[in-house]
Amino acid sequence: MSLEGEQAPDFTLESTAGEPITLSDRLEEGPAVVVVNRGHWCSFCAEQLQTFSEVSYDLWFNDKVDVLPVVVDPLDRVTEMRDRYDLDLQLLADPDGEVADQYSGTEETSHGLTGISGVYVIDTDGVVQYEQVADDVTDRTYGNWVRYFIRNDFEDPF
């Protein structure tokens, strides 16, 4: 089931900054990007998060866009991931995969419960303007493309 063109499911998750983050609260300020990741152990997720880390301040400062990375792991593991990869954005812990299930889904793997990687660009009305769910673990949308998408009024810039 695709969420594109639909109302984004609202959620509240604990962030690595130690505070709860609610999607609907963030949408009051501007659009948001929800990035669902598999888990703290996923190198492809870390690479993708690096690209969002590089553009997150620019998106927030110039476009009032919040990047909200959801990681299907407990908060201590998610904090460890943020620190290990020196990310300049806060990650959100989804230890039971409840938020991931509402977006791209979850699956059982050799690492336990993991999220299925997905990227969602959500406008200030809460409508998903872009959705990309990974067909395999290497299939990713990167931060710079999302920045161009948002600045091109939610149209594919290429």
Side-chain angles (χ1 to χ4, degrees):
M1 176 184 103
S2 174
L3 291 176
E4 196 163 323
E6 303 293 328
Q7 202 65 32
D10 198 16
F11 61 83
T12 300
L13 290 174
E14 191 72 21
S15 81
T16 51
E19 62 185 40
I21 301 294
T22 301
L23 174 62
S24 56
D25 290 347
R26 296 303 174 111
L27 293 175
E28 291 176 9
E29 301 296 321
V33 180
V34 173
V35 183
V36 178
N37 277 240
R38 296 172 53 78
H40 74 281
W41 48 268
C42 177
S43 61
F44 298 109
C45 299
E47 177 186 24
Q48 180 186 39
L49 287 176
Q50 283 289 345
T51 72
F52 280 98
S53 182
E54 291 169 6
V55 301
S56 63
Y57 180 77
D58 178 45
L59 280 169
W60 173 81
F61 187 80
N62 292 303
D63 304 295
K64 303 299 182 228
V65 174
D66 272 314
V67 177
L68 306 174
V70 174
V71 184
V72 180
D73 263 321
L75 185 60
D76 62 332
R77 293 287 197 173
V78 176
T79 302
E80 176 187 309
M81 180 185 198
R82 181 204 61 198
D83 295 345
R84 181 179 341 120
Y85 295 108
D86 197 28
L87 299 172
D88 288 331
L89 69 166
Q90 299 303 320
L91 308 180
L92 306 178
D94 185 18
D96 299 321
E98 292 176 10
V99 172
D101 269 338
Q102 295 177 59
Y103 283 83
S104 53
T106 59
E107 60 188 352
E108 281 292 332
T109 70
S110 61
H111 294 281
L113 183 69
T114 67
I116 296 171
S117 301
V119 175
Y120 300 84
V121 177
I122 304 164
D123 67 19
T124 54
D125 294 325
V127 176
V128 176
Q129 294 296 322
Y130 172 80
E131 171 187 54
Q132 185 265 332
V133 177
D135 290 329
D136 66 59
V137 296
T138 63
D139 184 21
R140 303 298 172 126
T141 296
Y142 293 112
N144 206 36
W145 188 91
V146 169
R147 177 170 50 184
Y148 289 126
F149 179 77
I150 291 168
R151 290 185 179 163
N152 199 43
D153 296 321
F154 303 114
E155 295 289 331
D156 189 334
F158 302 106

